[in-house]
Amino acid sequence: MTSGVAAGAAAPERTGPDRLTVGVEEEFLLVDPHTGAAVPAVDLVMEQVPAELRGQVEREFQTSQIEIGSPPGLDLGSIRHSLGVLRGALADAAERAGVRVLAIGTGPVAGPVPPVVDKPRFDRMIARFRLLVPGPGNNGMHVHVGVPDPDTGVQVLNHIRPWLPVLHAMTTNSPFSEGVDTGYASWRSVEWERWPSVAPTPYLESYEHYERLIRQLIASGVMLDEGMLYWYARLSAKYPTVEVRIGDVCPSVDDAVLVAGLVRALVATAMDDVAAGRPPVNTDHHLLVAAHWRAAHDGLEGDGVDLSNGELRPAWELVDRLVERVRPALAAHDDLAEVTGLLATLRRHGTGAARQRAVFARSGRLEDVVAEVARQTRG
């Protein structure tokens, strides 16, 4: 929810004509190891995090959440290494604190709503927005990709917005809530949309238009500050990056690396279009809203909205179109082989939501779902 670690201490930058830096933020849920219910244990876990990693681990909005941020890197191998180290250390710290850490969009098991972290900004948010606070905690994944300047970044946002529903479907990882199957692949998305500044990124005329909208939204009262700009993609308020923030946190490091590779390739493809003077497609806002709703509902196990004509297509057909669109950028970043392999794995095993439902179908126990998510989280 917050601007958080912002993918490491160093600011990602464009380092050459063909290669862009990428960094990943991930938010996790802290749960009771026996019941699977969310617990307000972030302070206990933070005390157990190794000192050398504390700069990459932060509290989040609720005391049942914790966040990590990878340093920015030029290759997916460095992202994989960073996320693996951080997830493993966090899982160990949670165990020493007597809890479990889950890479899951929201809590599947019913229980008391943990309090919000004691922080003046969060206190102001609660005072203004009151009951909009979700249940056990909303946990997302944010991917930062370096861009050379804000004007280019705004043009990139225009080019990538029609593709974000595909990434939304790929990252669905929260089918259960309050002990039942919600019927959605990403219930986090439904809860998250209670906040008035959550929305698809609008079509932007310029960076000045972007800044003007932020000022107007703050003045309207739907945001306290720029950090509450919860569009599905935005310019980072702290770093020279485009930040894609549509998805549930991914269940495994492999899933996160796949999404990071595709997001970077999508941004790089958009930058090529900008440089060549190719205009973006100004997709209708309401159709975009429909596409995101469908993605949250079906994940990859159903249909998605083809934004070229508004018709439904098998979700995997839209994934294949995205990959074909960004294939040259994947090749330019030496990511094509890895992304292709990870996509094949995702196709075999399904999204995080599909995996959770498969476990529940076998045992009928959410405790088993929690145990499997914890296993995948650690990797």
Side-chain angles (χ1 to χ4, degrees):
M1 171 176 287
T2 65
S3 56
V5 191
E13 298 175 352
R14 182 127 186 215
T15 59
D18 298 315
R19 297 178 67 83
L20 305 176
T21 56
V22 61
V24 174
E25 297 170 345
E26 295 185 304
E27 300 161 352
F28 303 99
L29 188 69
L30 302 173
V31 301
D32 183 288
H34 305 294
T35 67
V39 290
V42 66
D43 289 339
L44 295 174
V45 176
M46 289 292 291
E47 290 173 0
Q48 298 297 325
V49 173
E52 65 272 16
L53 296 179
R54 287 182 186 170
Q56 295 171 260
V57 182
E58 283 194 359
R59 293 166 180 81
E60 238 295 321
F61 187 61
Q62 286 171 260
T63 52
S64 53
Q65 297 175 280
I66 197 163
E67 179 182 14
I68 63 172
S70 76
L74 285 172
D75 63 90
L76 294 184
S78 67
I79 301 301
R80 177 184 296 281
H81 174 76
S82 296
L83 294 181
V85 169
L86 288 165
R87 281 181 176 229
L90 198 56
D92 290 341
E95 288 179 9
R96 289 193 293 270
V99 299
R100 267 180 171 165
V101 62
L102 301 183
I104 195 168
T106 193
V109 177
V113 176
V116 171
V117 168
D118 185 13
K119 186 176 179 180
R121 179 173 180 266
F122 294 165
D123 292 342
R124 293 195 302 272
M125 290 171 69
I126 294 301
R128 180 173 297 180
F129 299 104
R130 305 300 293 268
L131 293 179
L132 292 185
V133 177
N138 274 184
N139 304 297
M141 172 191 184
H142 308 156
V143 180
H144 290 254
V145 180
V147 291
D149 55 74
D151 293 294
T152 301
V154 164
Q155 294 183 73
V156 166
L157 293 176
N158 284 340
H159 279 270
I160 70 174
R161 61 197 289 270
W163 295 103
L164 296 186
V166 181
L167 295 169
H168 194 168
M170 292 178 67
T171 54
T172 49
N173 186 34
S174 50
F176 297 102
S177 177
E178 297 291 318
V180 299
D181 191 322
T182 64
Y184 283 77
S186 174
W187 186 246
R188 179 202 66 90
S189 299
V190 177
E191 291 186 329
W192 183 226
E193 287 174 1
R194 298 175 185 175
W195 293 91
S197 55
V198 173
T201 309
Y203 191 89
L204 299 159
E205 298 166 5
S206 63
Y207 180 50
E208 191 280 328
H209 181 206
Y210 180 92
E211 291 187 306
R212 184 172 71 250
L213 278 174
I214 291 173
R215 292 193 300 270
Q216 291 170 336
L217 290 171
I218 292 172
S220 77
V222 302
M223 295 173 10
L224 292 180
D225 51 39
E226 188 174 351
M228 283 191 69
L229 187 70
Y230 299 143
W231 293 344
Y232 297 155
R234 67 182 188 185
L235 303 183
S236 171
K238 293 184 177 181
Y239 300 97
T241 63
V242 164
E243 180 185 2
V244 173
R245 43 188 297 116
I246 180 55
D248 291 357
V249 63
C250 290
S252 72
V253 170
D254 274 354
D255 297 308
V257 169
L258 170 60
V259 174
L262 286 172
V263 169
R264 177 167 64 176
L266 185 59
V267 171
T269 301
M271 289 181 65
D272 288 343
D273 287 341
V274 170
R278 290 186 285 269
V281 176
N282 188 358
T283 304
D284 182 84
H285 171 78
H286 294 287
L287 188 58
L288 203 54
V289 169
H292 280 289
W293 177 85
R294 193 79 197 198
H297 186 273
D298 286 23
L300 292 181
E301 284 65 49
D303 292 326
V305 177
D306 181 344
L307 289 172
S308 69
N309 55 21
E311 296 179 359
L312 291 180
R313 294 280 186 271
W316 270 103
E317 181 180 318
L318 301 179
V319 173
D320 291 339
R321 288 188 194 176
L322 170 61
V323 174
E324 193 59 33
R325 178 78 179 95
V326 303
R327 184 179 296 275
L330 289 172
H333 286 84
D334 297 323
D335 293 341
L336 183 57
E338 180 158 18
V339 165
T340 300
L342 292 173
L343 275 169
T345 300
L346 181 65
R347 198 183 292 266
R348 285 196 304 273
H349 298 302
T351 61
R355 291 173 227 169
Q356 290 185 47
R357 284 172 166 151
V359 172
F360 188 75
R362 289 194 296 269
S363 74
R365 290 167 40 90
L366 282 176
E367 295 90 339
D368 294 338
V369 173
V370 169
E372 174 58 19
V373 173
R375 185 193 68 77
Q376 291 183 54
T377 302
R378 177 186 283 277

